[in-house]
């Protein structure tokens, strides 16, 4: 038996997933670690914590799976995108890694746009506008604010690629994760020498770029000893967490789109051709499918909005659920199901953490709009679920407007476990929504990429077709879809009406 591991270096912890050559789940392990906020809006982690979690997680997964060290033929890497690990010439970590959700770089984003010749020129170079979460602004922040540290930098790596270095000794990345640095020429799938020149950054700071299924090295003896494996184990490029999750959902050909309702929400669509929104409302990145691309829209507070509602406003219901041995989310969904479509005119804007797609507005604020004395907890729960779906529809409509076909939606994430919320998605998007046999997310996607690198499949499309299947489908209700079509323009207009006030509120 051949075994392939998927390592997902997340923000809250690292997941290790072991699969057979046929895609069967053999075992998994998750190891958590802290995230630090030394100042407001800062978010950092210690890369040693990631490595320690990998070492422990691999050993636990092997023990649980009962397979031999020599069975493990390949490892795929996924993880949080956009983070920055700064290494000196001796490969020592210079300072804590700056993460994707760190917001310190607003000035550097403006600096990048100015150096590029404006927002449109920047999008023309790298297919995306500058955002505070991306990697390039973090490098400039280090140069502007910690010049002594910047002078020591020999390499800048993304989180999963720092783990790759510790596994293989190689400085390497792959196209999907590299797309989120803002330094990749997404069209040509290579570093943008033009933008690097304008930012006065040397390309020697950056690792070699591979396709996601390419082998980037083998385990060193030291890494093999630490993990309890052998050096007869390849490490493939892998993918950023969103692309890896899409591979885990079989999003590898035109027409297929995935929605993920976790803390944040993601709408992710495959494209055979590179297509760029001139306004930069959605991301255009390289896909983990060789020579292909994807577009992505992000709602920062998706299922996280319902979690906030539960924690902040449903304390008594939570106590009741515990006393009755029930899940409080199931109780909220039951109440939402009993309320009418459109929640009797109640809207929710899910901007509890600002918003990315399509507004890229950190000042946006969450709102219930349309409250009356007739509304209750069930109406508010339903409005949240509908509002999150409206937010994702904004991204999906942009995809469709760019000429990217959307014929099938595959749902994943915690929110997708609710058939009721999946039906709302189907009705709001007016499209079939399916669920799959695999719910393991990015770790499964990169384990499949490892299987391709190990020679089990000729490419990742073949691997997905062989291991991923649909297990349920929901069709849109025609009448309900019409109601949502009638309400959706109102939802979109609410942000436009409140945009200036959001800025004023943020300045208070």
């Amino acid at each position: 038996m051949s075994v392939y591991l998927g390592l997902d270096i997340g923000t809250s912890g690292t997941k290790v997933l072991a699969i057979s050559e046929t895609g069967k789940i053999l075992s998994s392990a998750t190891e958590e670690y802290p995230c630090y906020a030394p100042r407001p809006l800062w978010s950092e982690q210690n890369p040693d914590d990631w490595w320690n979690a990998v070492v422990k997680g691999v050993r636990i997964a092997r023990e649980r799976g009962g397979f031999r060290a020599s069975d493990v033929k390949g490892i795929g890497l996924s993880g949080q995108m956009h983070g920055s690990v700064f290494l000196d010439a001796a490969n020592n970590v210079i300072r804590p890694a700056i993460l994707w959700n760190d917001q310190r770089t607003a000035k550097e984003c403006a600096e990048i746009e100015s150096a590029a010749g404006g927002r449109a020129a920047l999008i023309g170079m790298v297919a995306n506008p500058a955002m505070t979460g991306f990697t390039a602004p973090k490098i400039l922040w280090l140069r502007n604010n910690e010049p002594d540290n910047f002078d020591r930098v020999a390499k800048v790596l993304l989180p999963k690629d720092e783990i790759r270095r510790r596994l293989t000794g190689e400085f390497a990345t792959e196209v999907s994760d590299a797309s989120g640095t803002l330094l990749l020429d997404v069209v040509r799938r290579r570093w943008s020498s033009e933008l690097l020149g304008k930012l006065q950054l040397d390309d020697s700071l950056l690792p070699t770029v591979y396709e996601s299924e390419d082998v980037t090295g083998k385990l060193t003896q030291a890494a093999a000893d630490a993990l309890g494996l052998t050096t007869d184990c390849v490490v493939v490029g892998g993918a950023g967490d969103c692309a890896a999750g899409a591979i885990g959902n079989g999003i590898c050909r035109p027409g297929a789109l995935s929605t993920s309702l976790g803390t944040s929400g993601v709408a992710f669509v495959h494209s055979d051709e590179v297509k760029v929104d001139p306004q930069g409302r959605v991301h255009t990145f390289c896909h983990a499918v060789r020579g292909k691309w994807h577009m992505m829209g992000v709602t920062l507070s998706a299922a996280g909005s319902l979690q906030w509602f539960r924690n902040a406003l449903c304390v008594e219901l939570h106590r009741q659920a515990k006393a009755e041995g029930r899940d409080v989310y199931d109780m909220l969904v039951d109440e939402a199901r009993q309320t009418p479509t459109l929640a009797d005119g109640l809207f929710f804007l899910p901007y509890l953490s600002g918003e990315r797609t399509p507004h890229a507005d950190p000042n946006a604020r969450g709102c219930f709009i349309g409250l009356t004395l007739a509304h209750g907890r069930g109406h508010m729960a339903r409005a949240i679920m509908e509002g999150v779906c409206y937010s994702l529809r904004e991204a999906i409509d942009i995809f469709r407007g760019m000429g990217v076909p959307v014929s099938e939606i595959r749902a994943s994430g915690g929110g997708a476990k609710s058939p009721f919320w999946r039906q709302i998605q189907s009705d709001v998007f007016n499209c079939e929504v399916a669920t799959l046999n695999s719910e393991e997310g990015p770790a499964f996607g990169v384990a499949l990429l490892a299987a391709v690198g190990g020679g089990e499949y000729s490419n990742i499309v073949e691997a997905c077709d062989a291991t991923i299947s649909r297990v349920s489908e929901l069709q849109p209700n025609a009448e309900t879809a019409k109601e949502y079509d009638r309400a959706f323009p109102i939802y979109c207009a609410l942000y436009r009406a409140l945009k200036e006030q959001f800025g004023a509120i943020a300045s208070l």
Side-chain angles (χ1 to χ4, degrees):
M1 177 178 67
S2 294
V3 176
Y4 295 93
L5 302 182
L7 311 184
D8 181 21
I9 317 301
T11 310
S12 59
T14 284
K15 180 174 184 176
V16 179
L17 182 73
I19 68 170
S20 71
E21 66 269 22
T22 62
K24 179 183 178 182
I25 306 298
L26 301 176
S27 63
S28 66
T30 300
E31 294 297 315
E32 298 182 348
Y33 35 70
C35 185
Y36 303 99
R39 296 186 187 179
L41 302 181
W42 287 27
S43 182
E44 300 180 345
Q45 282 182 328
N46 181 352
D48 287 344
D49 290 341
W50 305 334
W51 176 246
N52 293 335
V54 166
V55 171
K56 186 174 181 180
V58 168
R59 287 183 170 273
I60 292 173
R62 183 186 155 204
E63 180 181 350
R64 289 175 178 171
F67 47 83
R68 299 170 300 175
S70 59
D71 291 335
V72 181
K73 301 301 184 183
I75 294 175
L77 297 168
S78 180
Q80 50 178 299
M81 297 178 68
H82 315 305
S84 300
V85 180
F86 300 104
L87 302 176
D88 65 16
N91 294 337
N92 296 309
V93 175
I94 294 172
R95 69 173 322 283
I98 306 176
L99 304 188
W100 62 275
N101 54 352
D102 188 285
Q103 299 294 317
R104 74 183 74 178
T105 62
K107 291 182 179 179
E108 284 70 29
C109 287
E111 180 182 347
I112 291 171
E113 286 201 357
S114 177
R119 180 183 174 92
L122 177 63
I123 293 173
M125 291 179 206
V126 291
N128 296 279
M131 293 189 175
T132 52
F134 287 178
T135 310
K138 297 177 173 67
I139 300 174
L140 268 59
W141 181 91
L142 192 74
R143 184 169 68 185
N144 293 341
N145 295 274
E146 296 180 1
D148 291 342
N149 280 338
F150 181 80
D151 289 342
R152 296 170 56 201
V153 175
K155 275 288 186 293
V156 182
L157 297 179
L158 295 159
K160 80 173 193 323
D161 299 325
E162 167 62 5
I163 296 304
R164 184 195 318 279
R165 178 188 70 81
R166 299 188 188 208
L167 292 172
T168 67
E170 302 292 336
F171 297 111
T173 189
E174 49 68 45
V175 291
S176 72
D177 214 359
S179 298
T181 65
L182 199 69
L183 295 173
L184 192 78
D185 182 335
V186 170
V187 176
R188 296 173 179 82
R189 307 172 85 88
R190 66 191 185 199
W191 296 121
S192 172
S193 56
E194 183 179 10
L195 184 57
L196 286 166
K198 290 180 180 295
L199 299 179
Q200 299 181 348
L201 294 174
D202 197 300
D203 62 5
S204 67
L205 293 174
L206 303 174
T208 304
V209 182
Y210 291 83
E211 290 289 333
S212 295
E213 60 193 30
D214 287 347
V215 173
T216 62
K218 286 189 172 184
L219 294 185
T220 65
Q221 189 63 59
D225 291 344
L227 299 176
L229 302 178
T230 74
T231 56
D232 185 27
C233 177
V234 300
V235 178
V236 300
D241 54 3
C242 290
I247 291 297
N249 285 336
I251 307 301
C252 57
R253 51 173 49 91
L257 179 145
S258 66
T259 58
S260 174
L261 293 182
T263 300
S264 60
V266 176
F268 182 112
V269 68
H270 172 101
S271 180
D272 278 350
E273 300 175 354
V274 60
K275 293 181 180 290
V276 178
D277 175 31
Q279 300 178 54
R281 294 169 297 174
V282 296
H283 302 318
T284 296
F285 289 168
C286 298
H287 198 357
V289 181
R290 185 182 298 275
K292 307 301 181 182
W293 290 265
H294 75 259
M295 282 94 252
M296 182 171 67
V298 179
T299 295
L300 293 178
S301 293
S305 291
L306 196 61
Q307 181 183 46
W308 162 80
F309 182 66
R310 180 202 69 175
N311 293 342
L313 300 176
C314 301
V315 176
E316 186 56 40
L317 185 68
H318 207 174
R319 291 197 191 102
Q320 180 184 342
K322 286 185 177 181
E324 297 177 3
R326 298 179 62 190
D327 187 305
V328 65
Y329 286 113
D330 290 342
M331 296 174 75
L332 280 173
V333 169
D334 285 344
E335 291 186 1
R337 186 185 292 108
Q338 295 170 29
T339 65
T341 302
L342 309 184
D344 284 330
L346 181 62
F347 287 84
F348 177 74
L349 305 186
Y351 307 148
L352 299 176
S353 303
E355 191 55 299
R356 184 175 293 186
T357 303
H359 310 302
D361 185 355
N363 293 329
R365 295 292 186 264
C367 307
F368 281 106
I369 298 174
L371 277 168
T372 71
L373 292 173
H375 288 119
R377 186 170 57 208
H379 292 88
M380 299 175 80
R382 180 163 192 141
I384 289 171
M385 300 167 84
E386 291 176 342
V388 168
C389 292
Y390 288 144
S391 180
L392 290 176
R393 175 170 165 174
E394 288 188 286
I396 293 170
D397 282 2
I398 293 170
F399 300 152
R400 287 168 166 156
M402 295 166 64
V404 179
V406 177
S407 57
E408 172 199 6
I409 293 175
R410 298 183 171 191
S412 63
K417 294 178 181 179
S418 163
F420 178 65
W421 208 345
R422 293 202 307 273
Q423 186 65 57
I424 292 177
Q425 287 190 64
S426 180
D427 294 338
V428 169
F429 307 149
N430 198 16
C431 189
E432 177 185 84
V433 172
T435 59
L436 307 172
N437 60 326
S438 172
E439 298 180 353
E440 298 294 342
F444 184 71
V446 292
L448 286 182
L449 287 166
V452 175
E456 304 292 346
Y457 305 95
S458 60
N459 56 59
I460 192 58
V461 177
E462 180 185 313
C464 288
D465 287 347
T467 60
I468 299 169
S469 59
R470 294 157 44 123
V471 296
S472 73
E473 297 90 19
L474 287 172
Q475 301 296 331
N477 180 291
E479 292 303 316
T480 307
K482 287 181 182 179
E483 291 192 66
Y484 284 131
D485 281 343
R486 184 164 54 92
F488 180 63
I490 300 173
Y491 170 89
C492 296
L494 291 173
Y495 172 80
R496 296 192 297 269
L498 293 168
K499 179 179 179 180
E500 290 188 13
Q501 301 309 316
F502 286 147
I505 291 169
S507 68
L508 293 177

